């Protein structure tokens, strides 16, 4: 029997979607954990202190037919039958702007197996390459969570119908004597949420956040660390440069500038940094925000 929970709605910002739940995070967290458990999905990460949970990589069977051959292979080979694609989901719970409410953000990560000639030239080597997020899969998983929390499937589908795409870029990467920064063409409250979503999708681990100070405390978390191999390339290969320390912690500061908002990168001690790493971080965020 599904647990009952009233007051689950879909919030929008352009093509971005998240859930607003009329309960505090302390009550929502165990329900979302139960959702994954009830569906037989293992959680690779659970951190209720910062409200983040991440699933293990899931075998993706979307591209495989359901004829008698593939169904037989599934039953005989089980986990050995590999379709060559994987999905992972990351959920972040945040306190809503209204007391006693929770905002639930979900991000999808995809991986696809590809083959490249080995360094010796004697055979193909399998490598896993990111395919990027799939908004359709995010909508499907959000719908499933809504239904589990007590919403009807029909209403969940209606609320999650595709939103209006943005017509123009809303962020720009600028450079000054102090270094690089992002200028977001949105007020602070909206920019704060958008930067949080961008951090999720780039693969940063948000270890803490202080909305009143406009600060995200982050550590880069390779979303495909377990599948990374020598020579593996991707546009999110943040670790590929020797100049980048993937274990370093940073502060991403979001500062109101009237009708706009600035985003800068600081070191663990809170000092603004002007390094290739800082520019790389801002560039990755810019790709998500524009």
């Amino acid at each position: 029997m599904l647990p009952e929970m009233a007051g689950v709605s879909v919030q929008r910002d352009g093509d971005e979607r998240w859930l607003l739940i009329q309960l505090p995070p302390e009550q929502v967290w165990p329900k979302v954990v139960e959702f994954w458990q009830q569906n037989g999905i293992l959680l690779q990460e659970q951190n209720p202190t910062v409200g983040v949970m991440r699933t293990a990589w899931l075998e993706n069977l979307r591209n495989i037919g359901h004829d008698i051959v593939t169904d037989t292979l599934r039953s005989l080979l089980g986990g050995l039958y590999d379709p060559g694609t994987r999905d992972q989901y990351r959920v972040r719970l945040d306190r809503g702007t209204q007391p006693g409410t929770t905002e639930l953000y979900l991000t999808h990560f995809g991986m696809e197996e590809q083959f490249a000639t080995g360094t010796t030239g004697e055979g193909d080597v399998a490598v896993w390459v990111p395919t990027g997020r799939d908004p359709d899969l995010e909508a499907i998983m959000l719908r499933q969570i809504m239904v589990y929390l007590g919403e009807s499937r029909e209403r969940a589908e209606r609320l999650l119908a595709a939103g209006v795409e943005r017509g123009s870029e809303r962020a720009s990467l600028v450079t000054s004597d102090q270094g690089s920064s992002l200028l977001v063409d949105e007020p602070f409250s909206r920019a704060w949420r958008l930067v949080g979503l961008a951090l999720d999708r780039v693969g940063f681990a948000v270890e803490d956040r202080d909305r009143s100070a406009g600060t995200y405390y982050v550590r880069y978390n390779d979303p495909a660390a377990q599948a990374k191999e020598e020579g593996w390339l991707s546009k999110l290969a943040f670790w590929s440069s020797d100049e980048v320390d993937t274990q370093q912690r940073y502060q991403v500061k979001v500062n109101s500038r009237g009708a706009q908002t600035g985003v800068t990168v600081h070191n663990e001690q809170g000092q603004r940094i002007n390094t290739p790493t800082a520019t790389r971080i801002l560039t990755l965020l810019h790709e998500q925000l524009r």
Side-chain angles (χ1 to χ4, degrees):
M1 180 176 180
L2 294 176
E4 294 184 1
M5 181 185 292
V8 182
S9 60
V10 176
Q11 302 297 298
R12 296 182 178 280
D13 190 336
D15 57 347
E16 310 289 358
R17 292 169 289 197
W18 64 95
L19 302 184
L20 178 63
I21 304 169
Q22 300 297 319
L23 283 175
E26 295 81 4
Q27 296 183 43
V28 176
W29 176 271
K31 292 295 185 183
V32 180
V33 171
E34 287 175 8
F35 164 78
W36 299 114
Q37 293 174 340
Q38 289 293 322
N39 284 277
I41 297 174
L42 297 177
L43 286 174
Q44 183 171 304
E45 176 187 359
Q46 293 187 59
N47 190 338
T49 302
V50 294
V52 171
M53 62 184 74
R54 181 162 50 96
T55 72
W57 286 99
L58 313 174
E59 180 179 316
N60 186 335
L61 300 177
R62 289 176 297 148
N63 299 324
I64 298 178
H66 289 275
D67 55 31
I68 188 170
V69 175
T70 53
D71 287 344
T72 301
L73 282 172
R74 285 192 185 94
S75 63
L76 292 177
L77 300 181
L80 298 178
Y81 184 54
D82 186 356
T85 54
R86 295 288 186 270
D87 295 310
Q88 185 182 71
Y89 298 91
R90 185 176 189 269
V91 169
R92 176 168 56 87
L93 302 183
D94 208 348
R95 295 189 184 278
T97 54
Q98 296 296 321
T101 64
T102 300
E103 295 175 353
L104 185 152
Y105 301 92
L106 182 142
T107 302
H108 164 264
F109 297 97
M111 296 283 286
E112 181 179 50
E113 188 177 28
Q114 297 184 4
F115 294 89
T117 301
T119 55
T120 63
E122 296 180 353
D124 288 341
V125 177
V127 294
W128 287 92
V129 179
T131 58
R133 58 179 284 258
D134 187 330
D136 291 335
L137 285 181
E138 290 177 350
I140 291 171
M141 195 59 71
L142 283 174
R143 182 192 67 196
Q144 296 298 100
I145 292 175
M146 291 179 71
V147 171
Y148 187 81
L149 296 179
E151 189 58 78
S152 70
R153 182 173 297 275
E154 293 75 15
R155 186 169 186 271
E157 290 178 350
R158 185 171 67 254
L159 292 175
L160 285 166
V164 178
E165 296 287 337
R166 296 188 301 274
S168 60
E169 291 192 8
R170 57 184 171 190
S172 57
L173 190 61
V174 297
T175 303
S176 68
D177 294 339
Q178 294 179 304
S180 299
S181 65
L182 275 181
L183 188 61
V184 184
D185 194 23
E186 300 285 358
F188 174 83
S189 60
R190 181 173 292 179
W192 171 261
R193 181 182 297 116
L194 293 173
V195 170
L197 279 168
L199 289 169
D200 289 343
R201 289 169 181 171
V202 168
F204 283 89
V206 178
E207 297 186 331
D208 201 358
R209 52 190 177 272
D210 184 346
R211 191 178 190 278
S212 62
T215 304
Y216 285 98
Y217 300 88
V218 305
R219 174 177 51 82
Y220 187 73
N221 181 25
D222 171 9
Q226 288 139 344
K228 186 178 67 172
E229 294 186 25
E230 186 71 24
W232 190 73
L233 299 176
S234 100
K235 71 174 184 178
L236 294 182
F238 189 84
W239 55 85
S240 63
S241 170
D242 292 338
E243 298 173 335
V244 178
D245 179 2
T246 60
Q247 301 304 313
Q248 183 67 44
R249 290 174 171 82
Y250 302 96
Q251 296 181 22
V252 176
K253 291 189 176 291
V254 183
N255 301 301
S256 177
R257 300 181 183 178
Q260 296 178 312
T261 304
V263 181
T264 53
V265 177
H266 300 243
N267 62 20
E268 193 171 2
Q269 291 71 41
Q271 300 169 324
R272 183 172 175 179
I273 56 176
N274 181 19
T275 63
T277 298
T279 301
R280 184 79 58 85
I281 292 171
L282 292 170
T283 300
L284 290 171
L285 294 178
H286 181 224
E287 290 179 358
Q288 299 297 324
L289 289 171
R290 62 186 180 185

